[in-house]
Amino acid sequence: MKRSGWSGYDARFADEERVELYARQYDDGSYDDHVWRLEKPVLMDVLRRERVRRGRLGVLDFACGTGRILREVEKVADELTGVDISAEMTRRAAEASPRALVMTGNVLTENLLAGPYDAVTVFRFLLNAPRDIRVPVLRRIRQHMKPGGLLVVNNHGHFPSLRSIAVRVPRSRPERPSELRHRDIVELLSASGFRLESRHGFSAFPPVLHRNLPVTALRRADAIACRPPLQRITGGLMVEQLYVARAAT
């Protein structure tokens, strides 16, 4: 099992320049910033409702990166923890969210997690992580959650979506990116001890269209496509998928 460094992720994001390039993906006006603006209200609504349900909220943001999720979640969390395998990432995350306890290390080989946590967020991990550590990591997280605890994960490379079609166009991309199907996520959650509650889709149009079509009109259309009434039709075809699950009891 590829546990040490998760296939070089910690080394790849060891230097400041690489981490800076990663952080710039979310600069104002970028495609990833656009997707995050659609996704963020749903995430925050889910967490606020969970806080009302429980009376308080202790949150773990796993694979916290530079602190994008931490910075938002601290608005609703009573206690907040961030964990990432990259030291340079966690340095930035601690700056982004001073109230959070931010730790660096590999949860499969180090005793980092405490809890029990009321809720756990896991963004941009499942698709990027080696296949053989996905379930072990989710199971380790499950062990540190309260009964019926809330898990929110995302899949930023959903298949099928317009993105998956676009990257199959000849010469549109030198290599095919990683992708996960809905059934892959459901199987991962089930194998790790979680029960799926809901699924939300964001970004109907892939980056290639945002680069080549009038971006203002495209993003307005995107926002409309993400509204709840249309989600029933468009949700399963969107690039970004947000899953809300519960720790099985």
Side-chain angles (χ1 to χ4, degrees):
M1 183 175 291
K2 300 173 185 175
R3 293 186 173 182
S4 179
W6 294 344
S7 294
Y9 179 93
D10 53 342
R12 189 162 70 253
F13 290 105
D15 70 272
E16 187 174 348
E17 184 177 349
R18 291 292 295 271
V19 174
E20 177 64 22
L21 288 172
Y22 174 87
R24 285 179 189 169
Q25 291 180 205
Y26 293 93
D27 284 351
D28 287 347
S30 68
Y31 172 79
D32 286 312
D33 175 63
H34 161 67
V35 176
W36 173 230
R37 288 173 185 268
L38 296 172
E39 192 174 35
K40 178 168 55 176
V42 176
L43 169 65
M44 296 304 289
D45 180 63
V46 167
L47 292 177
R48 287 190 183 100
R49 284 190 279 110
E50 188 67 11
R51 189 178 188 279
V52 170
R53 179 176 180 268
R54 292 180 175 271
R56 68 181 310 282
L57 198 66
V59 180
L60 166 68
D61 182 29
F62 178 77
C64 65
T66 57
R68 172 174 57 97
I69 309 298
L70 286 174
R71 189 166 50 246
E72 290 300 321
V73 172
E74 72 175 8
K75 298 173 184 176
V76 68
D78 297 280
E79 294 181 4
L80 185 58
T81 302
V83 172
D84 199 280
I85 202 167
S86 162
E88 181 60 26
M89 289 282 201
T90 54
R91 183 186 70 78
R92 293 208 176 201
E95 293 175 354
S97 181
R99 193 163 65 81
L101 170 63
V102 181
M103 298 179 290
T104 307
N106 185 336
V107 297
L108 292 177
T109 58
E110 301 172 63
N111 187 23
L112 293 175
L113 302 182
Y117 305 106
D118 300 291
V120 177
T121 55
V122 182
F123 277 68
R124 298 184 73 90
F125 171 75
L126 291 181
L127 193 66
N128 294 337
R131 182 179 302 177
D132 57 358
I133 72 161
R134 292 168 181 165
V135 169
V137 166
L138 288 178
R139 285 178 177 171
R140 181 61 57 88
I141 289 171
R142 169 68 183 85
Q143 292 169 2
H144 293 269
M145 295 179 70
K146 291 182 179 178
L150 185 77
L151 177 73
V152 184
V153 301
N154 83 333
N155 172 20
H156 59 285
H158 174 244
F159 178 88
S161 66
L162 287 180
R163 170 186 179 269
S164 63
I165 295 171
V167 298
R168 283 165 171 77
V169 175
R171 295 186 298 279
S172 66
R173 187 178 175 120
E175 71 279 339
R176 191 169 296 174
S178 298
E179 296 174 318
L180 285 170
R181 297 173 183 265
H182 171 65
R183 69 168 179 260
D184 297 328
I185 301 293
V186 173
E187 288 172 1
L188 284 169
L189 292 173
S190 178
S192 305
F194 293 95
R195 171 176 43 85
L196 179 64
E197 283 197 342
S198 62
R199 171 194 183 194
H200 310 265
F202 307 94
S203 183
F205 307 108
V208 64
L209 294 185
H210 284 256
R211 291 193 297 267
N212 292 285
L213 294 177
V215 70
T216 300
L218 201 61
R219 292 184 179 184
R220 285 176 182 167
D222 226 356
I224 293 171
C226 289
R227 291 175 183 172
L230 285 176
Q231 277 272 335
R232 297 170 189 169
I233 302 171
T234 63
L237 296 174
M238 292 192 180
V239 176
E240 184 98 357
Q241 300 285 314
L242 188 73
Y243 292 84
V244 180
R246 294 267 174 203
T249 55

